[in-house]
Protein backbone atom coordinates (compact mmCIF):
# COMPACT_ATOMS: atom_id res chain seq x y z
CA UNK A 1 0.00 0.00 0.00
CA UNK A 2 2.84 2.40 0.88
CA UNK A 3 4.32 2.06 -2.60
CA UNK A 4 0.99 3.04 -4.15
CA UNK A 5 0.68 6.11 -1.94
CA UNK A 6 4.26 7.19 -2.69
CA UNK A 7 3.65 6.72 -6.42
CA UNK A 8 0.48 8.84 -6.33
CA UNK A 9 2.32 11.58 -4.41
CA UNK A 10 5.15 11.57 -6.96
CA UNK A 11 2.60 11.84 -9.74
CA UNK A 12 0.63 14.58 -8.04
CA UNK A 13 3.75 16.73 -7.65
CA UNK A 14 4.59 16.24 -11.34
CA UNK A 15 0.99 17.05 -12.26
CA UNK A 16 1.22 20.42 -10.52
CA UNK A 17 3.17 21.79 -13.47
CA UNK A 18 0.25 23.59 -15.12
CA UNK A 19 1.76 24.18 -18.56
CA UNK A 20 -0.82 26.64 -19.91
CA UNK A 21 -0.91 28.61 -16.66
CA UNK A 22 2.88 28.92 -16.52
CA UNK A 23 3.09 29.78 -20.22
CA UNK A 24 0.39 32.39 -19.75
CA UNK A 25 2.31 33.93 -16.87
CA UNK A 26 5.30 34.34 -19.18
CA UNK A 27 2.96 36.37 -21.40
CA UNK A 28 1.74 38.31 -18.35
CA UNK A 29 -1.76 36.84 -18.34
CA UNK A 30 -3.69 34.33 -16.23
CA UNK A 31 -5.09 31.82 -18.74
CA UNK A 32 -7.94 31.11 -16.34
CA UNK A 33 -9.28 34.63 -16.88
CA UNK A 34 -9.58 34.23 -20.65
CA UNK A 35 -11.68 32.15 -23.00
CA UNK A 36 -13.31 29.20 -21.29
CA UNK A 37 -11.28 29.79 -18.12
CA UNK A 38 -9.82 26.29 -18.36
CA UNK A 39 -6.07 25.75 -17.90
CA UNK A 40 -5.78 23.29 -20.76
CA UNK A 41 -4.69 22.84 -24.37
CA UNK A 42 -7.85 24.00 -26.14
CA UNK A 43 -8.13 27.24 -24.20
CA UNK A 44 -4.40 27.92 -24.65
CA UNK A 45 -4.83 27.35 -28.39
CA UNK A 46 -7.79 29.69 -28.64
CA UNK A 47 -6.36 32.35 -26.33
CA UNK A 48 -2.63 32.36 -27.06
CA UNK A 49 -2.32 30.65 -30.43
CA UNK A 50 -0.99 27.45 -31.98
CA UNK A 51 2.46 27.60 -30.37
CA UNK A 52 0.94 27.89 -26.90
CA UNK A 53 -1.50 25.08 -27.67
CA UNK A 54 1.30 22.77 -28.81
CA UNK A 55 3.53 23.57 -25.83
CA UNK A 56 0.62 23.07 -23.44
CA UNK A 57 -0.29 19.72 -24.97
CA UNK A 58 3.28 18.43 -24.89
CA UNK A 59 3.85 19.57 -21.31
CA UNK A 60 0.61 18.03 -20.06
CA UNK A 61 1.18 14.88 -22.13
CA UNK A 62 4.69 14.26 -20.84
CA UNK A 63 4.28 14.90 -17.10
CA UNK A 64 2.58 11.53 -16.31
CA UNK A 65 5.42 9.84 -18.19
CA UNK A 66 7.97 11.70 -16.06
CA UNK A 67 6.05 10.67 -12.93
CA UNK A 68 5.96 7.04 -14.06
CA UNK A 69 9.67 7.14 -14.86
CA UNK A 70 10.48 8.38 -11.35
CA UNK A 71 8.23 5.76 -9.74
CA UNK A 72 9.81 3.11 -11.96
CA UNK A 73 13.30 4.11 -10.84
CA UNK A 74 12.36 4.10 -7.16
CA UNK A 75 10.59 0.74 -7.28
CA UNK A 76 12.58 -0.84 -10.12
CA UNK A 77 13.27 -4.00 -8.10
CA UNK A 78 9.63 -4.51 -7.10
CA UNK A 79 7.63 -7.12 -9.01
CA UNK A 80 4.67 -4.71 -9.30
CA UNK A 81 6.72 -1.83 -10.66
CA UNK A 82 4.49 -1.42 -13.75
CA UNK A 83 1.45 -1.07 -11.53
CA UNK A 84 3.16 1.62 -9.47
CA UNK A 85 3.97 3.49 -12.66
CA UNK A 86 0.25 3.63 -13.38
CA UNK A 87 -0.45 4.95 -9.89
CA UNK A 88 2.12 7.68 -10.54
CA UNK A 89 0.35 8.49 -13.80
CA UNK A 90 -2.98 8.70 -12.00
CA UNK A 91 -1.38 11.03 -9.46
CA UNK A 92 -0.24 13.26 -12.33
CA UNK A 93 -3.80 13.41 -13.65
CA UNK A 94 -5.08 14.39 -10.20
CA UNK A 95 -2.35 17.02 -9.83
CA UNK A 96 -3.28 18.48 -13.21
CA UNK A 97 -7.02 18.59 -12.54
CA UNK A 98 -6.80 19.58 -8.85
CA UNK A 99 -3.63 21.70 -8.34
CA UNK A 100 -3.43 22.77 -4.69
CA UNK A 101 -1.70 26.09 -5.44
CA UNK A 102 -4.45 27.14 -7.89
CA UNK A 103 -7.39 26.51 -5.59
CA UNK A 104 -7.73 22.94 -6.94
CA UNK A 105 -8.92 24.35 -10.28
CA UNK A 106 -6.74 23.05 -13.10
CA UNK A 107 -7.33 21.59 -16.54
CA UNK A 108 -9.70 18.85 -17.60
CA UNK A 109 -6.96 16.24 -17.83
CA UNK A 110 -7.39 15.04 -21.41
CA UNK A 111 -3.77 15.53 -22.55
CA UNK A 112 -2.45 14.16 -19.25
CA UNK A 113 -4.71 11.11 -19.50
CA UNK A 114 -3.52 10.64 -23.08
CA UNK A 115 0.09 10.60 -21.91
CA UNK A 116 -0.58 8.16 -19.09
CA UNK A 117 -2.72 5.93 -21.31
CA UNK A 118 -0.06 5.88 -24.03
CA UNK A 119 2.58 4.82 -21.52
CA UNK A 120 0.34 2.08 -20.13
CA UNK A 121 -0.47 0.71 -23.58
CA UNK A 122 3.14 0.63 -24.76
CA UNK A 123 4.27 -0.96 -21.48
CA UNK A 124 1.58 -3.65 -21.53
CA UNK A 125 1.46 -4.98 -25.06
CA UNK A 126 -1.53 -3.05 -26.41
CA UNK A 127 0.31 -0.21 -28.20
CA UNK A 128 -2.18 -0.38 -31.10
CA UNK A 129 -4.80 1.28 -28.88
CA UNK A 130 -2.91 4.60 -29.07
CA UNK A 131 -3.06 5.23 -32.85
CA UNK A 132 -6.66 4.01 -32.98
CA UNK A 133 -7.69 6.43 -30.22
CA UNK A 134 -5.85 9.24 -32.02
CA UNK A 135 -7.70 8.46 -35.24
CA UNK A 136 -11.05 8.35 -33.44
CA UNK A 137 -10.37 11.71 -31.78
CA UNK A 138 -9.26 13.34 -35.03
CA UNK A 139 -12.24 11.90 -36.92
CA UNK A 140 -14.75 13.20 -34.35
CA UNK A 141 -13.15 16.66 -34.24
CA UNK A 142 -12.89 16.94 -38.03
CA UNK A 143 -16.49 15.82 -38.56
CA UNK A 144 -18.06 17.84 -35.74
CA UNK A 145 -15.39 20.48 -34.92
CA UNK A 146 -16.12 19.83 -31.25
CA UNK A 147 -12.91 19.12 -29.32
CA UNK A 148 -14.88 18.43 -26.17
CA UNK A 149 -16.98 15.75 -27.87
CA UNK A 150 -13.86 14.04 -29.23
CA UNK A 151 -12.27 14.14 -25.78
CA UNK A 152 -15.31 12.65 -24.02
CA UNK A 153 -15.70 9.89 -26.60
CA UNK A 154 -12.09 8.69 -26.47
CA UNK A 155 -12.05 8.76 -22.66
CA UNK A 156 -15.10 6.49 -22.49
CA UNK A 157 -14.00 4.25 -25.37
CA UNK A 158 -10.53 3.84 -23.86
CA UNK A 159 -11.96 2.76 -20.51
CA UNK A 160 -14.20 0.14 -22.14
CA UNK A 161 -11.42 -1.07 -24.42
CA UNK A 162 -8.98 -1.55 -21.52
CA UNK A 163 -11.54 -3.75 -19.74
CA UNK A 164 -12.05 -5.79 -22.92
CA UNK A 165 -8.31 -6.23 -23.52
CA UNK A 166 -7.73 -7.15 -19.89
CA UNK A 167 -10.46 -9.77 -19.87
CA UNK A 168 -9.31 -11.08 -23.26
CA UNK A 169 -5.80 -11.69 -21.92
CA UNK A 170 -4.04 -9.13 -24.11
CA UNK A 171 -2.87 -7.17 -21.07
CA UNK A 172 -0.48 -9.48 -19.23
CA UNK A 173 -1.27 -8.86 -15.57
CA UNK A 174 -2.71 -11.04 -12.86
CA UNK A 175 -6.39 -10.63 -12.05
CA UNK A 176 -5.85 -8.55 -8.90
CA UNK A 177 -3.67 -6.02 -10.72
CA UNK A 178 -6.10 -5.93 -13.64
CA UNK A 179 -9.02 -5.02 -11.42
CA UNK A 180 -6.92 -2.30 -9.83
CA UNK A 181 -6.27 -0.94 -13.32
CA UNK A 182 -10.00 -1.07 -14.13
CA UNK A 183 -10.86 0.84 -10.97
CA UNK A 184 -8.14 3.45 -11.51
CA UNK A 185 -9.07 3.93 -15.17
CA UNK A 186 -12.74 4.17 -14.28
CA UNK A 187 -12.12 6.76 -11.56
CA UNK A 188 -9.98 9.16 -13.58
CA UNK A 189 -12.25 8.70 -16.61
CA UNK A 190 -15.26 9.59 -14.48
CA UNK A 191 -13.49 12.67 -13.09
CA UNK A 192 -12.47 13.80 -16.59
CA UNK A 193 -16.00 13.40 -17.95
CA UNK A 194 -17.35 15.25 -14.91
CA UNK A 195 -14.96 18.11 -15.65
CA UNK A 196 -16.63 18.30 -19.07
CA UNK A 197 -20.13 18.63 -17.60
CA UNK A 198 -20.51 22.24 -18.79
CA UNK A 199 -19.39 21.18 -22.28
CA UNK A 200 -21.92 18.35 -22.27
CA UNK A 201 -24.73 20.76 -21.41
CA UNK A 202 -23.63 23.13 -24.19
CA UNK A 203 -23.44 20.25 -26.65
CA UNK A 204 -26.99 19.22 -25.79
CA UNK A 205 -28.18 22.82 -26.24
CA UNK A 206 -26.19 23.32 -29.44
CA UNK A 207 -24.18 26.12 -27.82
CA UNK A 208 -20.72 24.53 -27.65
CA UNK A 209 -17.90 26.45 -29.33
CA UNK A 210 -16.37 24.82 -32.36
CA UNK A 211 -12.63 24.74 -32.86
CA UNK A 212 -11.30 27.55 -35.06
CA UNK A 213 -14.75 29.11 -35.01
CA UNK A 214 -14.55 32.81 -35.71
CA UNK A 215 -16.23 34.98 -33.12
CA UNK A 216 -18.68 37.54 -34.46
Amino acid sequence: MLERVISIIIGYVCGLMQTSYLYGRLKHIDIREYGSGNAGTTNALRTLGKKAGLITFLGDFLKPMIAALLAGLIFRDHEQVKLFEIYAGVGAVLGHIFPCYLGFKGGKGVATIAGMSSLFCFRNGCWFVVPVMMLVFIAVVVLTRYVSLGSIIIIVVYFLWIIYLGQDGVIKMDSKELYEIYILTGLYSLVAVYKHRANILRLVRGEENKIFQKKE
Side-chain angles (χ1 to χ4, degrees):
M1 181 58 71
L2 180 60
E3 294 88 349
R4 291 165 173 78
V5 174
I6 292 173
S7 297
I8 289 177
I9 292 173
I10 291 170
Y12 184 84
V13 172
C14 291
L16 292 178
M17 190 190 75
Q18 296 289 312
T19 314
S20 65
Y21 175 79
L22 296 175
Y23 186 92
R25 282 304 187 188
L26 291 176
K27 301 296 181 179
H28 308 293
I29 71 167
D30 186 341
I31 190 69
R32 299 170 301 164
E33 297 176 356
Y34 292 82
S36 66
N38 180 59
T41 300
T42 304
N43 196 34
L45 175 66
R46 286 175 173 155
T47 303
L48 296 170
K50 295 179 181 179
K51 180 181 177 181
L54 178 60
I55 290 173
T56 298
F57 175 80
L58 289 176
D60 292 347
F61 183 87
L62 290 174
K63 57 190 179 185
M65 296 187 176
I66 295 171
L69 175 63
L70 292 173
L73 288 173
I74 293 172
F75 300 115
R76 59 185 178 277
D77 296 326
H78 200 290
E79 61 181 4
Q80 291 184 304
V81 60
K82 289 199 291 185
L83 181 63
F84 302 149
E85 289 175 354
I86 302 304
Y87 271 90
V90 171
V93 173
L94 295 177
H96 176 78
I97 296 177
F98 305 112
C100 56
Y101 69 101
L102 294 178
F104 299 99
K105 295 179 180 180
K108 295 177 181 176
V110 177
T112 310
I113 289 173
M116 188 195 67
S117 301
S118 298
L119 176 66
F120 174 80
C121 290
F122 278 98
R123 289 278 282 148
N124 291 278
C126 50
W127 60 268
F128 52 87
V129 172
V130 178
V132 173
M133 290 293 96
M134 289 176 59
L135 289 174
V136 170
F137 176 77
I138 292 171
V140 173
V141 173
V142 169
L143 292 173
T144 68
R145 293 175 62 193
Y146 290 128
V147 174
S148 57
L149 182 60
S151 301
I152 293 166
I153 287 175
I154 62 169
I155 288 170
V156 174
V157 171
Y158 174 77
F159 171 55
L160 297 175
W161 205 355
I162 288 300
I163 292 177
Y164 171 77
L165 292 175
Q167 295 303 107
D168 198 45
V170 176
I171 300 174
K172 305 300 182 182
M173 287 184 167
D174 63 42
S175 58
K176 182 181 178 181
E177 290 182 341
L178 270 178
Y179 283 108
E180 280 191 68
I181 294 298
Y182 299 159
I183 292 171
L184 290 171
T185 306
L187 286 175
Y188 69 68
S189 297
L190 184 62
V191 170
V193 171
Y194 175 75
K195 289 285 287 185
H196 283 83
R197 62 193 183 282
N199 303 88
I200 294 171
L201 288 175
R202 289 195 294 268
L203 285 167
V204 172
R205 297 169 182 165
E207 300 172 352
E208 178 73 330
N209 293 324
K210 294 183 178 181
I211 191 169
F212 301 128
Q213 182 179 29
K214 293 182 178 180
K215 294 183 178 179
E216 297 182 359

